[in-house]
Amino acid sequence: MTDFYTLGIETSCDDSSVAILKNDREVLVNLISSQIDIHTLFGGVVPEIASRKHLEAINPLIDKALSDAGLTYEDIDLISVTKGPGLMGSLLVGISASKALSLALNKPMIGANHMQGHICANYLTHKELEPPFISLVVSGGHTYLCKVNSYTDYEVVGRTLDDAVGESFDKVARKIGLGYPGGPKIDKLSKEGNKEAIDFPRVMLEKNSYDFSFSGLKTAVINYAHTQEQKGIEVNKADLAASFEEAVVDVLVAKSMKLLRETGLKTLAVSGGVAANSRLRERLKEELDKEGMELYYPDLILCTDNAAMVAMAGYLNYKNGDTDSKFMKVYPNLEL
Ligand code: KG4
Ligand code: ZN
């Protein structure tokens, strides 16, 4: 059997990434060019800058990915590119590169859903993982709890009604002056704080729903910080970070466990940038161990945005009979 190579391209937000997947689940290269330094100066991602940086990075990355893998353009069998969700201008860069390659090489291309990509990241780290399972996808822009029925069938059971989890980490971090991106900084600082110091709300926990809401929690944290400032009391940032993180983790863990019990499924796969959070990992492990259930999350590098996960998602869709035309559009608001 000849080998099948998928070139993955990811440019949905502020990381330009190109990867090459060999057959099913073998990552040959996964290059990521981060723009974090420039966006940090502005306290968050600036869309206009992001698309310009993608434009500079994308072709050299494709060349380097091929040379690192010891392949040539002709060896590529499929091009898989993120078609959404994400920033319009950023997505356009990856999609244009993909269309150009597809036309020039006369090879098929497929537009992958970035969120499906996050779920598929788990297949790359865990070769034995197979559907069905429950997936908790927690990123900077999205929060989904879903049933993965097959490699191409995703049933969303819960989603955020307002802020995404990562977004709330970023906003709280900014409020207490930790900088961008806030998730890793809160994760680190929380370890020095008391998670029971402040009793923040566990929003939506009481409701018999799998949906999430994090904007109320973010407001509660910001109000707390303001009130302390007005009283002239210095906020203990570590306590605040730990208490906020615990409130988020409580809700994510409770809803994931509820869905596992209700569906009778025994496997939870967590992914997206917030899957890197150490307290979330610790708590989920505790809870799942108690019930003899399995917990999966991708290698750290595959938790945040990367093209290997996009290649994986595209490959699965292609094997399922899908392709996209060279006239494919951009889908900034694409849902899972
Ligand atoms: O999946 P991702 O790389 O990009 C999107 O598709 O949004 O996720 C980025 C998000 C950011 O909000 C970042 O603060 C958060 O993931 N994040 C974390 C951690 N590492 C990254 N949040 C909590 N704890 C972490 N260790
Ligand atoms: Zn992402």
Side-chain angles (χ1 to χ4, degrees):
M1 197 188 81
T2 52
D3 290 321
F4 188 97
Y5 296 102
T6 305
L7 180 79
I9 301 179
E10 156 64 37
T11 62
S12 68
C13 190
D14 60 341
D15 287 315
S16 320
S17 179
V18 174
I20 297 174
L21 185 72
K22 182 176 172 184
N23 302 324
D24 189 6
R25 306 192 187 199
E26 188 184 342
V27 181
L28 293 186
V29 216
N30 185 26
L31 304 177
I32 302 170
S33 164
S34 171
Q35 307 176 356
I36 202 107
D37 292 351
I38 183 140
H39 296 294
T40 301
L41 302 175
F42 299 93
V45 178
V46 184
E48 181 64 27
I49 296 177
S51 46
R52 285 172 198 228
K53 289 280 161 198
H54 286 307
L55 207 52
E56 286 168 17
I58 199 72
N59 287 333
L61 275 179
I62 295 171
D63 279 343
K64 183 164 174 16
L66 287 166
S67 83
D68 286 3
L71 298 175
T72 66
Y73 280 93
E74 278 66 39
D75 294 318
I76 297 303
D77 296 293
L78 171 70
I79 301 142
S80 173
V81 61
T82 303
K83 67 176 172 188
L87 300 168
M88 168 81 92
S90 292
L91 288 164
L92 263 173
V93 176
I95 290 175
S96 307
S98 163
K99 286 179 180 176
L101 282 173
S102 173
L103 275 168
L105 302 172
N106 198 23
K107 296 288 166 71
M109 68 171 250
I110 189 151
N113 183 316
H114 179 85
M115 303 315 293
Q116 185 194 349
H118 274 302
I119 296 174
C120 291
N122 266 302
Y123 297 134
L124 299 169
T125 301
H126 308 286
K127 313 290 183 213
E128 73 286 8
L129 178 64
E130 282 178 16
F133 55 85
I134 298 299
S135 184
L136 174 68
V137 197
V138 277
S139 79
H142 297 268
T143 308
Y144 288 112
L145 193 53
C146 62
K147 266 176 78 186
V148 179
N149 295 322
S150 75
Y151 285 113
T152 50
D153 178 15
Y154 303 87
E155 193 182 326
V156 177
V157 181
R159 68 184 74 224
T160 183
L161 302 176
D162 39 56
D163 292 352
V165 187
E167 188 181 355
S168 70
F169 270 92
D170 294 337
K171 286 179 176 168
V172 165
R174 190 197 296 205
K175 175 68 202 160
I176 57 174
L178 297 181
Y180 173 84
K185 298 199 164 128
I186 290 194
D187 191 349
K188 191 157 170 251
L189 186 61
S190 293
K191 297 195 167 94
E192 296 158 26
N194 172 7
K195 54 188 183 304
E196 277 147 31
I198 312 154
D199 187 19
F200 287 129
R202 270 65 174 160
V203 184
M204 302 286 295
L205 206 51
E206 74 292 351
K207 299 223 172 93
N208 197 23
S209 149
Y210 287 109
D211 286 335
F212 301 93
S213 165
F214 293 104
S215 93
L217 170 61
K218 170 198 68 193
T219 310
V221 175
I222 292 174
N223 284 345
Y224 173 85
H226 274 157
T227 313
Q228 296 298 96
E229 277 162 25
Q230 276 164 358
K231 287 185 194 158
I233 304 170
E234 198 183 332
V235 176
N236 182 323
K237 290 184 185 179
D239 283 355
L240 183 140
S243 303
F244 158 75
E245 186 180 74
E246 199 65 10
V248 171
V249 168
D250 270 353
V251 176
L252 295 176
V253 170
K255 298 216 176 202
S256 303
M257 295 309 298
K258 181 168 143 68
L259 186 58
L260 282 160
R261 288 186 196 114
E262 227 167 78
T263 55
L265 291 170
K266 301 263 177 243
T267 306
L268 178 70
V270 191
S271 56
V274 185
N277 184 266
S278 33
R279 183 65 184 150
L280 179 63
R281 289 180 174 213
E282 187 178 67
R283 285 281 311 283
L284 280 173
K285 182 161 174 16
E286 268 168 34
E287 295 300 320
L288 287 153
D289 277 356
K290 271 189 224 157
E291 312 230 2
M293 293 175 178
E294 300 270 3
L295 174 63
Y296 290 94
Y297 40 81
D299 289 339
L300 268 185
I301 191 72
L302 297 170
C303 280
T304 44
D305 292 348
N306 66 88
M309 69 183 200
V310 174
M312 185 72 233
Y315 174 83
L316 291 171
N317 295 347
Y318 180 75
K319 289 286 154 185
N320 193 42
D322 293 349
T323 48
D324 277 293
S325 92
K326 323 271 184 295
F327 303 102
M328 188 185 82
K329 293 199 191 117
V330 183
Y331 298 88
N333 299 315
L334 190 65
E335 292 283 352
L336 191 59

